[in-house]
Amino acid sequence: MDGDITLQQRYEAVGRRIETACRAAGRPPDQVTLLAVSKTFPAGRVLDLAGCGQRRFGENYLQEALAKISECAIQRPDWRLEWHFIGPIQSNKTRPIAEHFDWVHSVDRERVARRLAEQRPPHLAPLQVCIQVNIDGGANKSGVIPPDALALAQAIAALPRLDLRGLMCIPEPCADYASTLAVH
């Protein structure tokens, strides 16, 4: 993009692209939410984008995210930013995720879900959870295999302090769009 385009203009352009795609798909634009992946960007840049109106941010490096969440809350306590953990979860890192994030997009094991539920502070709203499904068997990807997804969903739905919201699936890149949509 042109270096003279402001962050606000870039943000608005993304919004217009979402609206156009929604109209083409016959879907109301207000049913789509933009999640800005802010990993590797400093808190100042997150706050710059939040100043444009963006409120949902995705992170997958836990230590970096915790520092950023804290710094953003200190600098702008009046802004309610929504934090999404989008990376693989190690069992020993569930407590800070349960304590500091609003959403987790990458639950792939019941053990992780149980720990998140047990460690979610009672004063916080339930943690919004997506099950990560490895839909095409990619060896370098995390996720539950499709035949085990239903059992994991049932286990998560029964846990307190978690709200099961859906699935997170990322197919392997394909040369053509139709192949990406094919069911494996």
Side-chain angles (χ1 to χ4, degrees):
M1 285 204 146
D2 183 346
D4 294 335
I5 295 176
T6 68
L7 183 60
Q8 181 72 44
Q9 290 168 325
R10 290 169 59 195
Y11 176 68
E12 290 169 0
V14 169
R16 286 190 301 275
R17 288 179 59 198
I18 291 170
E19 288 177 16
T20 300
C22 286
R23 284 195 189 88
R27 184 173 181 179
D30 63 352
Q31 290 184 352
V32 174
T33 305
L34 176 63
L35 176 64
V37 177
S38 51
K39 66 180 185 175
T40 73
F41 288 93
R45 292 298 286 163
V46 169
L47 292 173
D48 289 344
L49 187 55
C52 296
Q54 179 63 28
R55 291 294 186 266
R56 294 170 181 92
F57 295 92
E59 294 283 336
N60 71 338
Y61 301 125
L62 183 58
Q63 294 308 321
E64 174 189 320
L66 294 174
K68 196 177 304 182
I69 290 168
S70 176
E71 187 173 339
C72 287
I74 290 168
Q75 289 191 29
R76 290 308 305 247
D78 53 323
W79 286 352
R80 172 66 182 109
L81 302 182
E82 186 177 280
W83 296 97
H84 296 239
F85 192 81
I86 59 174
I89 302 172
Q90 298 171 345
S91 295
N92 65 338
K93 295 187 177 176
T94 54
R95 183 173 302 280
I97 293 170
E99 292 173 345
H100 297 281
F101 286 84
D102 303 290
W103 281 76
V104 176
H105 293 243
S106 49
V107 174
D108 62 356
R109 297 181 311 281
E110 185 176 349
R111 178 174 184 224
V112 166
R114 287 191 182 287
R115 289 177 60 93
L116 290 168
E118 292 165 2
Q119 296 167 344
R120 183 70 172 175
H123 69 279
L124 295 177
L127 187 60
Q128 307 302 298
V129 173
C130 293
I131 295 173
Q132 183 173 355
V133 182
N134 186 342
I135 60 172
D136 54 19
N140 295 326
K141 288 196 270 178
S142 300
V144 62
I145 59 172
D148 296 342
L150 178 58
L152 181 56
Q154 291 168 331
I156 291 171
L159 291 171
R161 313 290 312 133
L162 301 182
D163 277 344
L164 179 58
R165 296 299 299 270
L167 305 176
M168 192 280 285
C169 311
I170 302 175
E172 288 290 331
C174 294
D176 68 294
Y177 183 68
S179 296
T180 302
L181 298 177
V183 176
H184 297 295

